[in-house]
Amino acid sequence: MDVTSSAQGSARGRNPRGQGERLREDIVSVALRLLDELADDQALSLRAVAREVGIAATSVYIHFADRDALVLAALERCHRDLMRAVDQAEAISADPVAKLRARTLLLGTWAHQHPGLYKVLHESTLNQRTDMPFKQELAERTTTAVQRCMDAGLAPADDAAAVSHDLRAAVHGTVSMRVNQPDLPWPPLEEQVERFLTKLVGVPPGSP
């Protein structure tokens, strides 16, 4: 999965009529790539984005009122792409535990591959300045995945929302520590995820 594909950075002329949306998407693509490199939304320069796209800086403001608006649009795109990747990972198996395991590993692997975007999405000051309602979808879908395991008798009956919260807290904890302290002797992510599923969700070790 690649949620940071960039637009062409060469100089470009005025978009033909009807292609304004294409320019907007190009701006978002470049912003995603730069955010992943910078790992800090406040370090993002709209002039740098415009330069990479090959347009005048004033053209960015036609589509985005300010930097926060552009970063938010980039994170929404990132989230949509991530949700599609989660869907694909879950579709590999019909087993509820395998689905939960696949989505959890996918999210952890994505954060490892895109630490900059992870930090902006979850650890940046933008989280205090701007509401990100799209992030709630991830929480709700994890709760649904946990509930499926319980309904199938593969995990003890419990409050699925509370169990999901504990699982997400554990995963975010290990992901954040791996991103911010990469030199520590971390065990394979798969091993940690398996322990989280066993201890927090209650699925048997080595479930299909």
Side-chain angles (χ1 to χ4, degrees), residues 100 103-104 107 118 122 135-144 146 160-176 196 200-201:
L100 179 59
R103 69 177 290 111
T104 306
L107 293 170
Y118 175 84
H122 295 291
K135 291 172 64 174
Q136 184 60 28
E137 179 185 4
L138 182 59
E140 293 172 350
R141 290 178 59 174
T142 301
T143 298
T144 298
V146 170
V163 173
S164 170
H165 187 278
D166 289 346
L167 177 61
R168 287 185 290 110
V171 172
H172 277 296
T174 191
V175 166
S176 179
F196 294 157
L200 299 177
V201 183

Side-chain angles (χ1 to χ4, degrees), residues 98-161:
K99 286 180 177 289
L100 179 59
R101 180 185 294 110
R103 69 177 290 111
T104 306
L105 280 173
L106 186 283
L107 293 170
T109 301
W110 175 84
H112 176 73
Q113 294 172 339
H114 300 286
L117 282 174
Y118 175 84
K119 289 175 72 69
V120 175
L121 187 60
H122 295 291
E123 300 179 1
S124 67
T125 58
L126 185 66
N127 287 271
Q128 285 79 53
R129 300 195 306 275
T130 305
D131 187 28
M132 298 186 191
F134 55 86
K135 291 172 64 174
Q136 184 60 28
E137 179 185 4
L138 182 59
E140 293 172 350
R141 290 178 59 174
T142 301
T143 298
T144 298
V146 170
Q147 186 67 63
R148 284 198 300 258
C149 294
M150 295 178 181
D151 292 344
L154 299 172
D158 203 337
D159 183 340

Side-chain angles (χ1 to χ4, degrees), residues 50-73:
R51 185 168 56 250
E52 289 290 314
V53 178
I55 58 176
T58 52
S59 297
V60 177
Y61 289 100
I62 295 175
H63 299 277
F64 303 100
D66 52 29
R67 181 176 58 195
D68 279 4
L70 173 55
V71 173
L72 186 60

Side-chain angles (χ1 to χ4, degrees), residues 10-23 26 53-56 58-59 62-63:
S10 57
R12 61 190 295 166
R14 178 185 295 273
N15 278 307
R17 183 182 299 275
Q19 290 191 8
E21 186 61 25
R22 172 63 183 274
L23 174 57
D26 287 349
V53 178
I55 58 176
T58 52
S59 297
I62 295 175
H63 299 277

Side-chain angles (χ1 to χ4, degrees), residues 112 170-192 195-196:
H112 176 73
V171 172
H172 277 296
T174 191
V175 166
S176 179
M177 291 179 70
R178 287 168 184 264
V179 167
N180 292 294
Q181 302 178 67
D183 294 330
L184 292 182
W186 295 106
L189 180 63
E190 293 82 357
E191 293 181 6
Q192 280 196 304
R195 286 194 291 272
F196 294 157

